[in-house]
Amino acid sequence: MQKVKIPITLDPCRAAQRRASYDGVVMLEELSRLQQVVRDQSSEIAVDIHFNIDEQGLVVVQGKVRAHLTVVCQRCNDELGLDLEQDFAYSPVGLGAESDDLPERYDVLELDEEGEVNLRQIVEDELLLAIPIVPTHDEAQCSYSDEPKSFGEIEAEDSKPNPFEILKQLKKDS
Ligand SMILES: [Zn+2]
């Protein structure tokens, strides 16, 4: 199937009125925050996004992101491949709906000054959330030993602020 290029920003209300639907790819190279936490230089992220108006009249942006990305195992420091898949459902607020009366099944969608949504940002946030806070191999596959050869390296890894932790905190507060 021909994959379409996912638009960078668009107006979710207008997209919902015409029931816009995109099945396409976003390149890892376009997602700088995600690039900082994975080992991959390049990767294709499969994105499925549908715009709709639900039975309550709310604009809904929902879909799924799928990617295979490589991170560092926090136990053995070796590479760890992750098959990530995350469903999402957002609804923009400030369009007759306030975030307090948004049904729980929807996350709050932030719009920019033009009333548009940045789809790259949604894809990036969802993948950052899909990566475990402390990614590790399954016990059987992990090459961790009780006497790590490169103790210094593990220390350096630990002292970095954890971007997943920060994002999860943000998401919880909103
Ligand atoms: Zn491991």
Side-chain angles (χ1 to χ4, degrees):
M1 191 173 57
Q2 182 79 41
K3 290 281 176 190
V4 300
K5 192 131 176 71
I6 302 287
I8 295 175
T9 58
L10 55 76
D11 180 331
C13 302
R14 266 193 263 160
Q17 273 154 16
R18 58 186 170 87
R19 305 286 188 273
S21 189
Y22 300 94
D23 180 5
V25 290
V26 169
M27 300 306 293
L28 174 64
E29 293 91 310
E30 299 172 85
L31 309 176
S32 58
R33 283 179 299 146
L34 184 62
Q35 240 181 340
Q36 284 168 26
V37 301
V38 297
R39 280 287 174 94
D40 311 85
Q41 300 297 314
S42 172
S43 188
E44 253 185 28
I45 294 148
V47 181
D48 225 337
I49 300 185
H50 311 283
F51 293 83
N52 224 324
I53 296 170
D54 74 2
E55 59 285 359
Q56 274 181 266
L58 294 169
V59 169
V60 179
V61 182
Q62 61 183 352
K64 178 184 285 212
V65 292
R66 266 170 298 137
H68 181 85
L69 295 170
T70 310
V71 296
V72 174
C73 169
Q74 298 302 297
R75 205 188 291 134
C76 71
N77 252 10
D78 269 347
E79 289 190 346
L80 165 64
L82 296 174
D83 281 309
L84 302 172
E85 187 168 320
Q86 184 96 339
D87 292 309
F88 58 86
Y90 288 91
S91 184
V93 293
L95 300 158
E98 292 305 321
S99 57
D100 289 345
D101 27 80
L102 206 59
E104 261 183 42
R105 61 184 181 278
Y106 301 137
D107 282 323
V108 174
L109 183 64
E110 304 282 350
L111 301 179
D112 65 16
E113 307 87 67
E114 272 93 59
E116 298 205 318
V117 54
N118 186 320
L119 299 180
R120 298 275 184 292
Q121 206 171 315
I122 292 183
V123 169
E124 191 164 43
D125 285 353
E126 290 301 325
L127 285 173
L128 285 168
L129 284 166
I131 297 174
I133 293 176
V134 183
T136 56
H137 292 106
D138 290 338
E139 207 89 31
Q141 268 111 52
C142 194
S143 58
Y144 172 79
S145 78
D146 284 334
E147 295 167 64
K149 280 164 255 143
S150 51
F151 192 66
E153 230 176 283
I154 292 170
E155 282 254 281
E157 207 63 50
D158 275 350
S159 60
K160 265 193 282 177
N162 188 326
F164 312 126
E165 191 60 36
I166 295 163
L167 185 70
K168 285 194 173 136
Q169 202 58 47
L170 285 175
K171 189 112 172 177
K172 218 185 294 163
D173 292 344
S174 68

